[in-house]
Amino acid sequence: MLDRYSRQTLFGPIGKEGQERLRSASVTIIGCGALGTVIANNLCRAGVGRLVIADRDYIELNNLQRQILFDEDDIERHLPKAIAAAEKLSRVNSSVKVEALVEDINADGIEALVSDTDVLLDATDNFETRYLINDVCVKLQRPWIYSGVIASYGVTMNIIPGDTPCLRCVFPDMPLPGTTPTCDTAGVLNGIVGVISGIASTEALKLLLNSPKVSRDMLWMDLWENTVDRITLPRQPDCPTCGQHHYEFLDSAGQSSATLCGRNAVQVRSSAMSREKRLDFSTIAERLRPIGEVTYNEFLLRCTIDGYEMTVFPDARAIIKGTDDEQVARSVYARYIGM
């Protein structure tokens, strides 16, 4: 089996002993878009024994420019991103256990998810989830890696509770909606995705191997402008999270809807559903077919009604495409699915 990793074990800081440690490690990746697919691909090929990939979304044509685990056939099959990624990775390295979670990560279940992992990597597209990740990782003393890309630049930073500053030491307040660029307004180059993902996945290996070379700085890079900045940041003693241990995002019930990055779409969640319950798509499809075009599989139901495209997941979460107005999206959901 080690023959598979021969070019990696020849690298002194890893070696055969390090490879065995990777084989027994567990990594969680939240988000399976541009960053998440490259990170998952790297760690799977590196032989990390267990990968948990969590993502709420499904695949669209514009994803293929930068999300390397997907292809046109996945779109035809209406696959959620986590499922398609797990399928690809199982063919890349069958010795790695890949678990796909097609769900929205929120305060309800994130502690159980994080308590069972060695390192968590952020591959999300929104700060609300990142602040939630920061809360739970600081609380449970789990290292995590913050990463983000937009246009031609990207950022990554290791967050090691008790050692480095946490996310709120660096960004005390969550950015207000509309105040930061998105892939819809600024685009994103696939080259910067590869660079930031490569750095983040390598830092994950260092963390898993307890390497003294783990970075404790924030790295900013702009591939178009040819600039790189490494910033040393201090911990803040009065930080609400790692200083005062107030986990306000973890204790919050969360929002019932959220506008999605780079999409004329809104995600709507039903507070009535528990993690154990699942929708019966056959019953819903029968009810909706007289008024719209409906298709479904075991992973999602898709329906086009009144100019809106609804993608509904088994946990009653839905993505309403055709509007960026959360009130309109909730109204569409209530009319055809029910709150």
Side-chain angles (χ1 to χ4, degrees), residues 5 43-45 47-51 90 93-98:
Y5 310 110
L43 295 181
C44 180
R45 292 177 187 273
V48 172
R50 176 174 174 261
L51 294 177
S90 68
N93 192 343
S94 59
S95 66
V96 173
K97 182 180 181 182
V98 182

Side-chain angles (χ1 to χ4, degrees), residues 117-138:
T117 196
D118 297 311
V119 174
L120 184 145
L121 288 102
D122 156 43
T124 67
D125 61 4
N126 68 90
F127 273 94
E128 183 176 359
T129 304
R130 288 181 176 126
Y131 279 77
L132 177 62
I133 291 170
N134 189 65
D135 269 11
V136 71
C137 285
V138 171

Side-chain angles (χ1 to χ4, degrees), residues 7-301:
R7 300 305 184 269
Q8 187 164 283
T9 56
L10 285 171
F11 180 61
I14 295 181
K16 292 183 178 180
E17 181 181 348
Q19 191 63 51
E20 287 298 323
R21 292 178 66 177
L22 294 179
R23 186 170 68 89
S24 63
S26 177
V27 170
T28 296
I29 303 167
I30 297 185
C32 193
L35 291 170
T37 53
V38 183
I39 290 170
N41 178 67
N42 289 349
L43 295 181
C44 180
R45 292 177 187 273
V48 172
R50 176 174 174 261
L51 294 177
V52 179
I53 302 173
D55 192 280
R56 65 191 180 187
D57 212 349
Y58 59 92
I59 306 163
E60 292 188 305
L61 186 61
N62 65 64
N63 299 152
L64 304 187
Q65 171 252 355
R66 64 202 177 280
Q67 300 182 16
I68 67 170
L69 292 179
F70 309 138
D71 56 42
E72 294 175 1
D73 183 60
D74 297 324
I75 298 173
E76 291 294 324
R77 295 168 62 200
H78 304 309
L79 289 182
K81 290 182 176 182
I83 298 295
E87 285 188 3
K88 296 291 196 311
L89 294 174
S90 68
R91 296 197 291 270
V92 168
N93 192 343
S94 59
S95 66
V96 173
K97 182 180 181 182
V98 182
E99 300 175 23
L101 300 179
V102 185
E103 58 184 76
D104 189 34
I105 298 301
N106 53 55
D108 292 338
I110 194 170
E111 286 198 57
L113 182 63
V114 172
S115 66
D116 197 30
T117 196
D118 297 311
V119 174
L120 184 145
L121 288 102
D122 156 43
T124 67
D125 61 4
N126 68 90
F127 273 94
E128 183 176 359
T129 304
R130 288 181 176 126
Y131 279 77
L132 177 62
I133 291 170
N134 189 65
D135 269 11
V136 71
C137 285
V138 171
K139 179 180 179 179
L140 299 181
Q141 296 291 290
R142 291 292 189 277
W144 70 283
I145 303 177
Y146 158 61
S147 300
V149 292
I150 198 73
S152 62
Y153 60 89
V155 59
T156 186
M157 175 184 176
N158 298 330
I159 296 174
I160 308 171
D163 184 352
T164 70
C166 78
L167 188 69
R168 291 201 75 182
C169 290
V170 182
F171 306 114
D173 299 310
M174 185 188 303
L176 295 174
T179 61
T180 58
T182 69
C183 49
D184 188 41
T185 60
V188 60
L189 298 182
N190 56 21
I192 191 62
V193 172
V195 172
I196 295 299
S197 299
I199 294 170
S201 55
T202 302
E203 290 298 320
L205 297 182
K206 294 180 191 178
L207 286 166
L208 293 172
L209 297 173
N210 293 320
S211 169
K213 300 296 185 180
V214 168
S215 172
R216 286 167 172 77
D217 300 327
M218 175 178 282
L219 179 73
W220 287 85
M221 178 178 292
D222 190 319
L223 285 184
W224 203 260
E225 299 296 332
N226 304 309
T227 56
V228 180
D229 292 305
R230 186 176 292 277
I231 309 168
T232 300
L233 298 165
R235 291 184 64 190
Q236 300 297 330
D238 59 347
C239 170
T241 304
C242 70
Q244 302 176 17
H245 299 286
H246 294 159
Y247 307 116
E248 60 186 273
F249 296 93
L250 187 58
D251 296 335
S252 170
Q255 300 296 318
S256 62
S257 61
T259 302
L260 301 183
C261 170
R263 306 262 287 283
N264 184 32
V266 175
Q267 175 181 262
V268 178
R269 294 177 55 223
S270 172
S271 60
M273 290 289 286
S274 69
R275 289 176 61 85
E276 292 75 26
K277 294 180 181 178
R278 288 294 181 263
L279 294 180
D280 181 353
F281 284 157
S282 62
T283 300
I284 297 173
E286 182 177 356
R287 179 164 53 86
L288 294 179
R289 279 200 179 102
I291 56 174
E293 180 182 347
V294 183
T295 60
Y296 70 93
N297 56 28
E298 63 181 300
F299 307 115
L300 56 82
L301 177 146

